[in-house]
Structures are given as C-alpha cells and as structure tokens.
Amino acid sequence: MDCGGGRRKKEEGGSCSRGELGERQEGESSLNGLSTHQVSLNQLVKPENRNATKMSSSPKAEPPTTTSIIRGATTEFSTVHPDIIEAHILTRLNGPALASLSCVSSTLHSLSTQDHLWFHICHCNWPSTVTPRVRHVISTYPEGGPRSFFAHSYPLPIMHPTSTSSNSNSAPPSELISAVDIHYQNELIFTKVLETETVTGWFRCSPFRIDMLEPKDVVSTPIEHPNGDDTCTALMDDMTLSWILIDPIGRRAVNLSSNKPVSVQRHWLSGEVQVRFASILASNNQKGSVSGFVQCEIVVTCSGSEGGEMQVSEVSLEVEDMDGKHLNGKDSLVILQRALEGKKGKGKNREEEGRKSQRKFLKMKKERKEKKLRREGTMDILCVVFGVTVFATFCFFIFGN
C-alpha cells in the first residue's frame, strides 16, 4: 500500500511538492504563480488585440504587439524562447489554465499539449497515477493520452445526462480500476490503486461495495488529528478526496468524488469521524429515459491514535438509490458504465456543484419518502373502511334475519 504524507511525496518520481500541489488543486486562478518570469498573458487572449489588424483599415495603423515583461525588459512574446515558456511558465500552470492557454495560438497549443506536462499535472493532482498500471493505461488514451485522461477525470459527471449519452450499446467493463487519493491540508495522507473484476457471479449478485482497506487495516498518517468541537469543521474545510474509476479496456474514466466532503459526522462514544463524499448519477429504465437518481457515496472513517496522529480505517464506495437501498453489482455496473461514457461538467466550482447535487438528491429522496408514506396511509384508510364495511354488512345480514 502506497500511503504517506508530504515527506513521502518527495520520494515519488512523479509527485509534487506541497506548494506545487496547492497551485494545481483548483483551476479558478488560472495564471497565478509566474514569479520568475512575469508574462502578460492577458494580452494574448484579448479579442481587441487578436483582431485589431482586421478591424483597422487605416494604412497608418500599426499592428498590435503582444509584449511580456521579463526582469524589467520589454520584448515581443514571439521572441521568447520556447524552452523558457515551457520551463518557467507552463510548468507553473494547473490543468484548466494549461488547457485554456492551448487555445490562444498554434505555438502555445503545440507547447502546452506535450505529454510530459500533462503527466506531471496528473501526478500532482492524483499521486496514484504514478503506479505503472495506471500510467500505462493513461498513455494508451486516444486523443492526447494524459491530456484526455485529465479531461475525463477532473470534472464531475453531470446529474442530468442527455438521451444520447445515456444510451449505450457497448459491453459493460470487465474490470474497474479505482485510483484513490486523500489530502488533508494539502498533505497526502492516503493513496492506493485497486483493481476489481466485474464478471464474477459474486460481484454481480452481491451489494456493490469497493473497500480500499481490509476490515482490520489502519493507515497511520503524519498529520495531527484535530480534536474537540472543531474536528468536523476542520475535516469539512481541509480534506479533499479523489476517486477515479477507470475502465482500462474502453479507456474511459470518471471521478465519483465531490472533491470536498458533503457531510461530516462524529460518533459521540468512540470519537470516530465519518467523512462523506458523493456524486449523483442518473438511473435509466430499459427505454433509456431517466427514471431516477442514485448516489455514489464514499465514506472515509478517521480516528486519532494514542500519539495524536490521524488514522484512516475505512475508505469505501457504495451506490444507493432514492429509497435508501444499496444496489447490487449488476445494476451498479450499468449506471457506472453510463457515467464513464457520458458527458462531464465544466470542472468549475466542483465542491459547490457536488454539494448542490447532493442537496437536490436528498430533497428528492425526502419527497419520495413522504409520497410513499401518504400512499401507504391512504391504502391503510381504504383497507380499514373496506373492513368496517364488510363487517357491518355481515352483521346486518346476521342480525337482520
């Protein structure tokens, strides 16, 4: 098992330091961190600069120049050597920023689509992708290898798929690879890759559940476990999880985690804390239309050791429908296959998007339960009325004669 904190990451060839990981975890600040060579990239994407030559018909108008400030000197961006751009700019960008930069010009597209840059980004976001099996699968992805894998794995699956994405004629995957990474305060505390066969009768008939740890296994971390009333708040704010489900044959992937917790509960007696992550997927009927929704729930159980360090004793994945029933492997595999093949979100505000989807699911689940209770109550009243009517009729014929 490859688990460890920030000190362990330095030993991994493809992993990143704590600072680099913090720069790449979210794609909201696309062009931050260009400290050594401050390049004015905003001028590259302004429409008025790109189209100024076409819009101006005056012979005296001079073509615009895109400049960059390098150690106080002003120069055209085209004169900057590609090695400088790659070494001092592209390596400082996260995945969404690098993808946006590739749309600016053909030169930047050529530089920003190199496999080694995207392998590095994948390893920084998900240290589990360093393992030989996962790295080999990523390298075989069509249309860009690690760049295509990042596009599949970074955004969340959409809650309401279109009809074209929900219909699938391909065979279910015969094997699933789970690549799981857990960070706390930007420190890696758990990482593991698990392969699961999906063709056995035991998998298809039993309730779907993937456990990354054996029942008695405990993973110690160098992170101090938060104590007191602030435990839940600290884990809610500072813990992130990624659970990438990979189809190695079909070369598809989907991230089933909301990135940040949707709920945190602490047991009043044992002190163990259960941190829950979730993603909401559509459940389709035989005709391909959406008939309901299911929740892919990831549970992480944490506790404190005698020395005060955080311990991880459970990392599991289950699929639950709107009635609270856990689906078996066969039904879960159909839903996961559609998620693997379906469209993904845009990758923006993943935490808020995940929590919003989970709130919608819980609201629909509550309404479904209340509707079921009302229907059962109505049936109970009808049964009572029918029974009283039959009894009254029987008594009338008996005592009336």
Side-chain angles (χ1 to χ4, degrees), residues 81-127:
H81 197 279
D83 291 344
I84 297 179
I85 298 176
E86 178 180 346
H88 298 286
I89 299 177
L90 301 186
T91 55
R92 297 173 180 265
L93 301 182
N94 54 32
L98 192 61
S100 300
L101 190 64
S102 65
C103 302
V104 174
S105 67
S106 58
T107 301
L108 291 176
H109 181 271
S110 177
L111 291 174
S112 59
T113 55
Q114 300 181 72
D115 284 353
H116 73 274
L117 290 175
W118 287 99
F119 266 122
H120 181 67
I121 288 177
C122 289
H123 297 165
C124 288
N125 283 274
W126 313 300

Side-chain angles (χ1 to χ4, degrees), residues 228 237 283 349 370 386:
D237 296 337
S283 175
N349 301 323
E370 292 175 351
F386 178 77

Side-chain angles (χ1 to χ4, degrees), residues 47 111 136 152 157 177-178 198 212 219 271 292 327 336 343 371 382:
L111 291 174
H136 172 72
H152 287 160
I177 300 177
S178 298
T198 62
M212 302 302 294
V219 178
L327 303 185
L336 294 175
K343 294 183 179 180
K371 183 178 180 181
L382 291 176

Side-chain angles (χ1 to χ4, degrees), residues 290-308:
V290 177
S291 59
F293 298 92
V294 299
Q295 176 180 245
C296 296
E297 185 181 53
I298 302 170
V299 178
V300 179
T301 302
C302 302
S303 60
S305 64
E306 295 180 357

Side-chain angles (χ1 to χ4, degrees), residues 332-351:
S332 300
L333 193 60
V334 174
I335 296 174
L336 294 175
Q337 181 186 6
R338 292 194 178 102
L340 287 165
E341 298 175 348
K343 294 183 179 180
K344 310 297 191 302
K346 297 181 180 180
K348 296 181 179 180
N349 301 323
R350 292 181 297 167
E351 294 83 6

